[in-house]
Amino acid sequence: MNLYTTYGKFQNEMNAYYKRTGLKLQFTEMMKRMYEKGLLDSTPTRMTLSEDSLYVDDYEFDKLVDNTPIYFSAQSGLDKEVREERMIPKFQDVFTIRHPRFTRRYSHTHNYFELNFVVKGSAIFYFEEEPHVMNEGELCIIAPGSNHDFLIDDETSIVYTICIRRSTFDSTFSSIMSHQDLLSGFFRQILKDDGKANYLMLFTGNNMECRVLLRKLLIESAKKDEYSNGCCVSIINLLFCNMLRNYSKTIAFYNYEIGSDFSLVLQYIQHNYQNITLSSLAEFFHYSEPHLCTLIKQNTGENFTELIKKLRMKDAVSYLLNTDLKINEIAEQVGYNSADHFSRVFRQTYKCSPAEYRKQNKKESPFIPFSTE
C-alpha cells in the first residue's frame, strides 16, 4: 500500500527535525516517522505543476514542486544496495525527483543509472568515500554499482535526480550509444563491463534549455498517465543530445578504463586538437608517449601529427564554407599561430589556397524550399 505526502511537507519535516535535534535522517526514515505521526495521506494531492510553469524562475518553480505528491510504501527499508524496482515506478524507464535536503550520510550503490543536476546553490557528491563539491550548472552521471552519496546542507540549493533503468540504455538509447563521443563511450563501457565504479561530470553553466528539459522530466514523472513514460524517454534523449552537442568539452571522468574502446582518447583529441600535444595527451591518460602513438596508429591508421592536421583541415573547410570569418581568424580557430603557416598546410592538402577553396565551393545563396526559380 502506498501512502502520500508532498515534497514541501516532507522537506518541512526534515528541516524542522534537523533544527530541533541537529541530526539528519534518510528519506525512508523520515517517511516512516511521518507515517507513525499520522502525517501521510492515503491519496495523492492534486499536482499544480504544468507546462505553463516551465519558464518561471528557479525558486518560483521550486515552490510549485513543493505541492507535487510523492509516495512511500510502508514496507520500504534502508538498504546499502538500492534496486531499480524499489526506486523507479513500475512501467517507467525514467523517473525524476527533487533531491531532499539535510539527509544523513549513507553511501550506497544501485543497479540503475543516476543523474544529479545542481540547479541552484551547491551540493556534496561523495564517490567511493571521496567528497566532491558540485555547484550550479554541474551534472553528474553515476554508473550502476558505484558507491556514492549526495548531500544538500542548506535550505535553498536545488538538485534534481534522474533515475534511468539500465536496460533502457540497451534499447531506447542505442542510437546515442552508437556515436563516437565521450558520453556514448562511457555508457558502452559500463554496459559491457559491470561493477566498475565510474562517473561523468559535465558543466552546463546557466543554460535554460537544460533547466526546461529537467522541469519537463519532473512534470512527466509526476503525471503517471499512459503517455508520461514515452515523454520521459524522449526528453532524456533530448537532454543527452543537448549535453553532447554543447558541453562534451567540459566532461570529466573517474576511473574510466578504456580497454578496447579507444573512443574516449579520440574524442578528447577531437575536442582539444587546437592546442594539444602528444606529451600532454599521454600525461592526461597516463600512457607513455610511444605506447600512445601505437594505440593512435592502430585505431586510426594515422600517426598523431597526421590526425591533428586532418582534424584542423576538416574544421577549416567547415569555417570557410559556413562562415564569413577571415583567413587569419580561421587559422587561429583551428590552432595555427599564423595565417601563412595555415595557408601553406591547406594548399598542401587541397592543392589551392583557403581563399580559392572558399570561392570555388561556397554556395552564394541558401536553399529556398518550393522555389520555382
Side-chain angles (χ1 to χ4, degrees), residues 82-296:
V82 182
R83 309 293 295 178
E84 63 179 30
E85 55 268 23
R86 280 188 51 197
M87 188 65 194
I88 305 174
K90 195 174 182 180
F91 306 121
Q92 287 187 245
D93 294 292
V94 179
F95 185 58
T96 305
I97 62 172
R98 185 181 73 187
H99 198 285
R101 306 172 181 109
F102 297 115
T103 53
R104 176 170 61 84
R105 268 292 308 276
Y106 194 77
S107 292
H108 58 281
T109 63
H110 40 58
N111 63 341
Y112 53 87
F113 284 92
E114 178 179 301
L115 285 72
N116 290 293
F117 187 96
V118 181
V119 176
K120 281 291 183 185
S122 63
I124 302 175
F125 167 47
Y126 286 89
F127 190 86
E128 299 295 318
E129 304 304 324
E130 290 289 327
H132 308 263
V133 176
M134 287 180 60
N135 297 303
E136 181 175 332
E138 287 187 293
L139 181 144
C140 184
I141 305 174
I142 306 167
S146 301
N147 190 47
H148 71 283
D149 200 7
F150 205 85
L151 304 180
I152 307 170
D153 287 334
D154 65 81
E155 295 186 33
T156 58
S157 291
I158 304 170
V159 176
Y160 297 148
T161 297
I162 306 169
C163 308
I164 308 174
R165 293 186 189 274
R166 182 176 180 138
S167 59
T168 303
F169 286 97
D170 283 324
S171 54
T172 311
F173 302 141
S174 59
S175 60
I176 290 179
M177 288 192 295
S178 67
H179 296 174
Q180 291 301 310
D181 50 55
L182 285 172
L183 199 58
S184 305
F186 173 76
F187 290 138
R188 286 197 303 274
Q189 188 73 11
I190 294 307
L191 290 170
K192 75 178 183 182
D193 195 5
D194 194 11
K196 295 293 176 69
N198 285 274
Y199 72 80
L200 280 180
M201 194 86 72
L202 300 95
F203 180 72
T204 67
N206 188 23
N207 180 273
M208 193 61 192
E209 185 175 359
C210 285
R211 282 167 158 74
V212 168
L213 291 173
L214 288 162
R215 291 177 182 185
K216 282 179 174 286
L217 282 170
L218 197 61
I219 292 170
E220 291 296 337
S221 291
K223 281 183 178 178
K224 295 182 175 60
D225 61 22
E226 60 185 306
Y227 304 105
S228 61
N229 186 59
C231 289
C232 285
V233 170
S234 296
I235 294 166
I236 202 70
N237 262 300
L238 286 172
L239 181 64
F240 283 158
C241 289
N242 178 276
M243 291 188 297
L244 287 173
R245 173 183 286 167
N246 300 310
Y247 307 111
S248 54
K249 289 184 179 181
T250 72
I251 287 180
F253 62 91
Y254 173 88
N255 198 29
Y256 186 101
E257 296 187 9
I258 298 171
S260 61
D261 186 350
F262 201 62
S263 64
L264 182 64
V265 175
L266 297 180
Q267 190 71 17
Y268 185 85
I269 294 172
Q270 288 172 3
H271 288 320
N272 298 276
Y273 71 83
Q274 295 93 338
N275 50 28
I276 200 173
T277 64
L278 181 63
S279 60
S280 66
L281 184 66
E283 182 180 357
F284 186 83
F285 286 101
H286 306 292
Y287 284 116
S288 69
E289 290 185 32
H291 183 50
L292 182 58
C293 285
T294 300
L295 289 174
I296 291 173

Side-chain angles (χ1 to χ4, degrees), residues 4 9 23 41 72 78 91 94 114 122 124-125 127 163 260 311 334 337 340 350 372:
Y4 299 88
K9 290 178 182 178
L23 302 175
D41 302 317
F72 169 72
L78 207 57
F91 306 121
V94 179
E114 178 179 301
S122 63
I124 302 175
F125 167 47
F127 190 86
C163 308
S260 61
L311 290 169
V334 299
N337 293 325
D340 288 342
Y350 296 102
T372 58

